[in-house]
Amino acid sequence: MPDKHTVTVGEALAIFLENCGVKAAFGVISIHNMPILDALNQRGRIRFVPARGEAGAANMADACARTTGGLGVCLTSTGNAAGAMVEALTAGTPLLHITGQIETPYLDQDLAYIHEAPDQLSMLRAISKTAFRVRSAETAVGVFKQAVRAALSAPAGPVSIEIPIDIQARRIPLPADLAPLPLIAAVPSEAALDALANRLAAARRPLLWLGGGARGAGDAVRRLLRLGFGVVSSTQGRGIVPEDDERSLGAYNLQAPVEAFYQSCDAMLVVGSRLRGNETLKYELKLPRPLYRVDADPEAEGRGYASDSFVCGDAALTLDGLANRLEGRMRVDPALPADLWRARQSAAETLLDGLGPYRQLVDTLQARIGRDFNWVRDVTVSNSTWGNRQLRLFTPTAGVHALGGGIGQGLAMSIGAAIGAAAHGSGRKTLGLAGDGGFILNLGELATAAQEQADLVMILMNDQGYGVIKNIQDAQYGGRRCYVDLHTPDYAQLCASLRLQHRKVSRLEDLDTALTAALEQRGPFLLEIDMLSIGRFKSVFAGPPTNKQE
């Protein structure tokens, strides 16, 4: 009979995750992770969502972390969801990926032992911020503490832990300390702050570019706004400043009117952003000079664009330090906010005009959704045109997008965001956006949404094909189309079989009624937009622009 003073490693780890504030975890149960999942079930404090595939589970955990601001947790068997982990790595998501492994005596011997993933640890290191193997029951909790601290400390990212099944099941004395370790913050140099503040104090038209690394620095950003700075954000930095604030360009960061406005600015401070290629016209976008950068990752200096000054430090600590030094010193051009807003309005109007009939969809969504919601998008034409920019966001945890560019992750991410909202009691409705080509890749997760009664409205833009590939073939291959037409399910029948609410919109005059019904419904709702009936976009999107002429 088990000693009441001992616990399995699996139970000790479950208690530790509870102490980390984890409310929900995602995964697929397997013979190689049962001790941990049995402990989660027995304790009943963390909601476990059984996904239909490990890739979907990792996407769910990723989106849960992004929309709650906490730690995402995914449990897989041996092997892993590599593509979903690369997405989390690209996004800098604090995600703990726990994967099982075969029994310790048979590891690393090339025995073709069932479920062994040869050299799994090397693979995990390639797709994670860092990766660990638990080598004994006695060190398991310490390894998990180290891993969680690494995942959450800036620059955040997914961390993997490989733990053999025999170690998970072993009994150990209940550890006295199951609290997480303090996070490691990159403290900026006082001298570097002094030097950068002196340079910024001379600027008359300063602009902040906010990336995902600045999401925890909202208070410090607002201090700089009050000093006169304007703001633009990357896709990942949306909502740090509410996107109806007239001092913000939102994510209109590369349009021609905005690039022209940049040339009227005399300083740009980039905070926590990689200045990704598809948001800078492959690094040819003319950004203001001098260009200063702040990042917790010292390797960000000079990446993509040469830096005129660089401060290595946590975003909040660094911006607060700069605000302390700049108060009372800034003499910002009073025309800057109006000039910024005109550039944004010009860019937005051009975008909206190019949507043709789908402008009504965007306007209706904005009018109906309010200010507190999750906006989760797959890679699809609709997101690349308007989803990444025009549906306004008001909080830094509201937006989730597949930054790595892989299609098919939006449904799972929407489920993760909805579960996170439920587990943390935020009351947020989740809106998801996907094209039919990507949606069908992980269609099995629709059953997960139904089973878990995830509170989400999935907007399916259905043109029965790979729309953006068709446009690229028209533009670059003389209209020779191949492999782009897709056999598409009857989603009304599919949803009925899953006992999941569905409505198809084939006429724009029916949109408002359908959307109202979808938003009022609790649980999952598939809102299918029949693009073949409604028509085409006015402007053709044929992939991300690569230079300012496109």
Side-chain angles (χ1 to χ4, degrees):
M1 184 164 179
D3 182 344
K4 65 180 180 179
H5 299 295
T6 66
V7 294
T8 65
V9 168
E11 184 173 358
L13 298 179
I15 297 169
F16 170 67
L17 292 176
E18 293 165 15
N19 291 341
C20 292
V22 175
K23 304 292 185 186
F26 307 83
V28 177
I29 191 166
S30 149
I31 61 170
H32 286 108
N33 59 27
M34 276 190 189
I36 297 174
L37 289 179
D38 180 65
L40 290 182
N41 179 60
Q42 289 294 310
R43 293 184 60 77
R45 292 172 174 85
I46 293 175
R47 177 178 178 178
F48 181 73
V49 175
R52 296 308 187 267
E54 295 183 337
N59 285 142
M60 291 175 199
D62 181 353
C64 182
R66 292 195 220 181
T67 54
T68 62
L71 177 71
V73 175
C74 174
L75 291 99
T76 67
S77 180
T78 55
N80 68 95
M85 287 294 292
V86 170
E87 169 59 31
L89 184 63
T90 303
T93 302
L95 188 154
L96 185 66
H97 171 219
I98 305 166
T99 184
Q101 183 54 286
I102 65 171
E103 292 94 324
T104 308
Y106 308 113
L107 261 175
D108 302 328
Q109 296 185 54
D110 196 23
L111 296 172
Y113 197 89
I114 186 170
H115 284 194
E116 180 178 11
D119 203 14
Q120 178 174 241
L121 190 58
S122 295
M123 177 174 59
L124 294 173
R125 286 176 176 143
I127 59 175
S128 308
K129 178 182 175 181
T130 188
F132 301 88
R133 173 183 285 179
V134 176
R135 300 184 183 277
S136 70
E138 293 74 20
T139 60
V141 170
V143 170
F144 269 68
K145 288 186 176 185
Q146 220 179 334
V148 168
R149 178 162 68 176
L152 289 166
S153 294
V159 173
S160 296
I161 301 180
E162 179 186 68
I163 178 166
I165 180 65
D166 54 321
I167 292 177
Q168 294 177 44
R170 197 160 301 158
R171 299 193 72 85
I172 58 173
L174 180 65
D177 179 9
L178 284 170
L181 298 172
L183 303 186
I184 301 170
V187 179
S189 152
E190 295 290 327
L193 287 175
D194 289 341
L196 181 53
N198 287 337
R199 300 185 75 170
L200 285 170
R204 296 295 172 260
R205 293 173 66 89
L207 198 61
L208 288 170
W209 175 302
L210 301 177
R215 280 174 295 184
D219 289 343
V221 167
R222 284 184 282 277
R223 291 184 66 190
L224 293 177
L225 280 177
R226 289 193 291 270
L227 294 178
F229 282 75
V231 167
V232 65
S233 77
S234 70
T235 303
Q236 190 75 327
R238 295 184 63 189
I240 297 171
V241 175
E243 291 183 340
D244 57 352
D245 191 312
E246 294 189 357
R247 297 166 294 182
S248 173
L249 289 161
Y252 282 98
N253 48 31
L254 54 66
Q255 286 68 26
V258 172
E259 186 179 31
F261 167 73
Y262 287 158
Q263 303 319 299
S264 76
C265 297
D266 58 0
M268 174 175 270
L269 178 60
V270 178
V271 185
S273 175
R274 297 179 186 178
L275 296 173
R276 298 189 310 142
N278 65 330
E279 296 189 67
T280 59
L281 305 174
K282 291 188 177 178
Y283 317 107
E284 292 184 4
L285 183 67
K286 292 182 179 177
L287 298 177
R289 285 289 179 180
L291 183 71
Y292 309 127
R293 294 180 81 161
V294 169
D295 207 288
D297 179 3
E299 294 184 11
E301 181 173 4
R303 184 181 287 158
Y305 285 81
S307 307
D308 293 297
S309 182
F310 178 83
V311 177
C312 183
D314 173 82
L317 293 176
T318 303
L319 295 188
D320 263 329
L322 290 173
N324 290 339
R325 289 162 171 80
L326 291 171
E327 284 179 349
R329 297 176 64 188
M330 299 295 297
R331 299 290 182 267
V332 174
D333 179 358
L336 179 64
D339 292 345
L340 180 152
W341 192 247
R342 275 194 297 272
R344 173 172 175 163
Q345 292 298 89
S346 176
E349 186 54 42
T350 299
L351 181 149
L352 288 168
D353 181 66
L355 298 182
Y358 298 100
R359 179 170 186 165
Q360 185 174 336
L361 172 60
V362 179
D363 291 342
T364 304
L365 281 172
Q366 195 75 70
R368 290 280 177 259
I369 193 58
R371 296 179 69 87
D372 192 23
F373 61 97
N374 294 323
W375 179 224
V376 184
R377 294 98 63 204
D378 206 343
V379 174
T380 184
V381 172
S382 292
N383 184 55
S384 297
T385 50
W386 59 268
N388 268 346
R389 296 177 180 86
Q390 184 55 31
L391 192 68
R392 294 190 295 274
L393 300 182
F394 305 99
T395 61
T397 56
V400 176
H401 169 48
L403 287 149
I407 67 172
Q409 302 175 87
L411 172 58
M413 286 180 158
S414 297
I415 295 168
I419 296 298
H424 288 260
S426 72
R428 279 185 182 176
K429 192 79 170 183
T430 294
L431 282 182
L433 178 69
D436 57 298
F439 191 72
I440 205 166
L441 284 174
N442 289 298
L443 196 59
E445 300 303 351
L446 205 57
T448 305
Q451 178 173 316
E452 297 298 318
Q453 283 298 289
D455 191 22
L456 67 93
V457 176
M458 200 73 207
I459 302 167
L460 176 61
M461 306 297 293
N462 190 353
D463 64 359
Q464 297 186 23
Y466 292 123
V468 69
I469 302 299
K470 291 180 183 179
N471 293 341
I472 292 171
Q473 288 174 339
D474 289 346
Q476 299 181 25
Y477 293 86
R480 296 190 306 276
R481 291 184 177 181
C482 53
Y483 318 126
V484 289
D485 295 314
L486 303 174
H487 179 74
T488 303
D490 182 325
Y491 282 104
Q493 292 188 42
L494 177 61
C495 288
S497 73
L498 292 168
R499 296 189 296 279
L500 188 148
Q501 293 294 311
H502 166 272
R503 187 169 295 193
K504 185 175 183 178
V505 175
S506 299
R507 304 184 312 156
L508 286 173
E509 49 264 44
D510 299 330
L511 176 62
D512 189 68
T513 301
L515 183 60
T516 299
L519 291 173
E520 289 176 350
Q521 170 77 31
R522 300 294 295 178
F525 194 110
L526 184 64
L527 183 63
E528 182 182 357
I529 307 299
D530 179 5
M531 299 181 73
L532 295 182
S533 296
I534 292 172
R536 296 169 59 88
F537 290 94
K538 180 178 176 181
S539 296
V540 175
F541 178 80
T546 56
N547 60 62
K548 59 178 177 294
Q549 281 78 41
E550 294 183 298

